Amino acid sequence: MNAIEVQHLTKTFGKTTALGDISFSVAQGEIFGTIGPDGAGKSTLIRSLATLALPDSGTIQMLGMDLLKDYKTIRTKIGYMPEIFSLYQDLTVEENLEFYASLFDISIADNYQIIEPVFRQLEPFRKRRAGKLSGGMKQKLALSCALIHNPQILLLDEPTRGVDPVSRKEFWNILGDIKKQGITIVFSTSYMDEVSICDKIGLFNKGKFLCIGAPAEIADEFADPIYLIKSAQLYKVLLKARQWEGTRQCYMFGDSIHIVFKDGSYSPEALKTFLAEFADAEVSAVEANIEDCFMNLLNSERHG
């Protein structure tokens, strides 16, 4: 049995379609990442799974239960961490955790083994007010509160937004430890590099999944030749490379450019000749990653 089964889920806000007839499933014990840009509808999806946004149509099964009929029971079996820090700023770390434990009629000690991978980093700050914590520590506290009742499913909405790179890495290491306890994890993010922790991902845009699968499988399906361009005049090279007849796509990628050839009949040597006015331009073959796949899917969507 899948932990989550969604069929033809639709949600609109006025004339805006936040979720457009989407279907997907998440296996028990799996980490599923919804990856996409801001405004794509990811938060609406997470809120729908958390029973906080009612769908206009479609069905959601959580742990074999219907979300609309059994939402009260489902709420006791899921943990939800919203994008915006929503704990009590004037309460200490320990007081916040005690309060959330009391909502489920348990104590911190009852389920300490569940939150231990997270809380051990918060231990030195247990008497500090939540509002005085760093961004990374706030996220760890919010995660501890979402886990204190030992949920079977953990829902995280943009959990590392605005967090420094070191804290982001720590957070994903913690999620790996949580997964070992058999908890199903669903999260949303706009950071493409966070796919490495996922068993399965869904590339998401404008309220729908462009594709769903294991990260490696999605990357392997990228068939067109792709190359990296380095130059000190990066933006000028970008504009020039987009004019080349062999260019299918060309976009900034960190401190370099990624260019996708239309097909195998075009060569990197021909591209170098086209860019001859930029003497320092270097062209080298690279393997496609998830961001390349996302850009390719967006391009295919735009051009039908």
Side-chain angles (χ1 to χ4, degrees):
M1 181 181 69
N2 287 321
I4 300 172
E5 191 78 45
V6 176
Q7 293 293 328
H8 305 294
L9 181 63
T10 299
K11 179 66 178 178
T12 59
F13 296 98
K15 296 182 179 179
T16 301
T17 299
L19 302 174
D21 191 30
I22 64 173
S23 299
F24 69 102
S25 62
V26 181
Q28 288 186 347
E30 192 171 60
I31 298 182
F32 180 87
T34 300
I35 321 293
D38 293 343
K42 304 187 304 296
S43 292
T44 301
L45 176 57
I46 297 294
R47 284 176 55 80
S48 297
L49 297 177
T51 78
L52 299 176
L54 294 177
D56 296 333
S57 61
T59 61
I60 302 175
Q61 294 280 325
M62 306 279 282
L63 302 170
M65 295 176 285
D66 182 85
L67 182 134
L68 295 180
K69 296 178 181 178
D70 304 308
Y71 69 93
K72 289 184 179 179
T73 302
I74 288 172
R75 286 177 177 176
T76 68
K77 298 181 181 298
I78 63 174
Y80 169 61
M81 181 176 158
E83 177 184 352
I84 299 173
F85 184 72
S86 57
L87 302 182
Y88 293 98
Q89 306 267 2
D90 290 337
L91 296 183
T92 66
V93 166
E94 191 171 45
E95 288 169 341
N96 266 291
L97 198 53
E98 286 175 343
F99 171 73
Y100 275 86
S102 71
L103 295 178
F104 296 92
D105 197 27
I106 59 173
S107 69
I108 296 176
D110 290 336
N111 283 334
Y112 185 78
Q113 76 280 2
I114 303 299
I115 66 167
E116 196 271 336
V118 197
F119 197 71
R120 63 186 174 215
Q121 298 186 35
L122 282 167
E123 194 77 39
F125 311 102
R126 62 190 306 153
K127 299 299 182 183
R128 183 175 296 182
R129 290 187 178 184
K132 299 296 184 180
L133 295 172
S134 67
M137 286 301 174
K138 283 182 177 179
Q139 296 300 77
K140 292 182 179 73
L141 175 56
L143 181 57
S144 295
C145 290
L147 285 169
I148 191 58
H149 61 295
N150 191 17
Q152 294 181 49
I153 296 175
L154 182 62
L155 305 172
L156 310 173
D157 188 9
E158 299 276 2
T160 57
R161 178 183 291 277
V163 176
D164 66 87
V166 173
S167 294
R168 280 178 63 203
K169 185 176 180 180
E170 289 177 348
F171 193 90
W172 297 119
N173 288 338
I174 288 169
L175 285 193
D177 290 337
I178 292 170
K179 180 193 173 184
K180 293 175 184 176
Q181 302 181 46
I183 297 175
T184 303
I185 302 171
V186 179
F187 73 90
S188 65
T189 183
S190 56
Y191 298 120
M192 297 287 173
D193 62 337
E194 293 185 345
V195 304
S196 60
I197 193 176
C198 300
D199 299 297
K200 190 166 64 177
I201 63 171
L203 299 181
F204 202 75
N205 190 54
K206 294 183 179 179
K208 63 180 181 179
F209 287 109
L210 303 178
C211 70
I212 295 175
E217 292 174 352
I218 292 175
D220 287 345
E221 290 179 1
F222 195 100
D224 298 310
I226 182 169
Y227 292 85
L228 179 145
I229 306 174
K230 298 282 274 186
S231 172
Q233 304 179 71
L234 212 56
Y235 186 65
K236 290 182 179 180
V237 172
L238 175 71
L239 297 179
K240 181 70 173 180
R242 283 176 173 171
Q243 299 172 18
W244 184 48
E245 64 175 1
T247 300
R248 179 180 176 186
Q249 283 182 274
C250 190
Y251 44 88
M252 298 294 293
F253 194 90
D255 61 352
S256 63
I257 296 168
H258 274 199
I259 180 169
V260 182
F261 290 6
K262 289 179 178 177
D263 55 52
S265 65
Y266 296 95
S267 68
E269 290 74 21
L271 174 60
K272 289 179 183 178
T273 300
F274 185 78
L275 298 175
E277 64 189 270
F278 304 100
D280 69 332
E282 300 176 6
V283 180
S284 57
V286 293
E287 291 186 4
N289 58 28
I290 294 299
E291 188 167 347
D292 294 314
C293 296
F294 188 78
M295 296 296 292
N296 187 54
L297 288 165
L298 284 182
N299 185 64
S300 298
E301 188 179 51
R302 292 191 191 105
H303 296 90

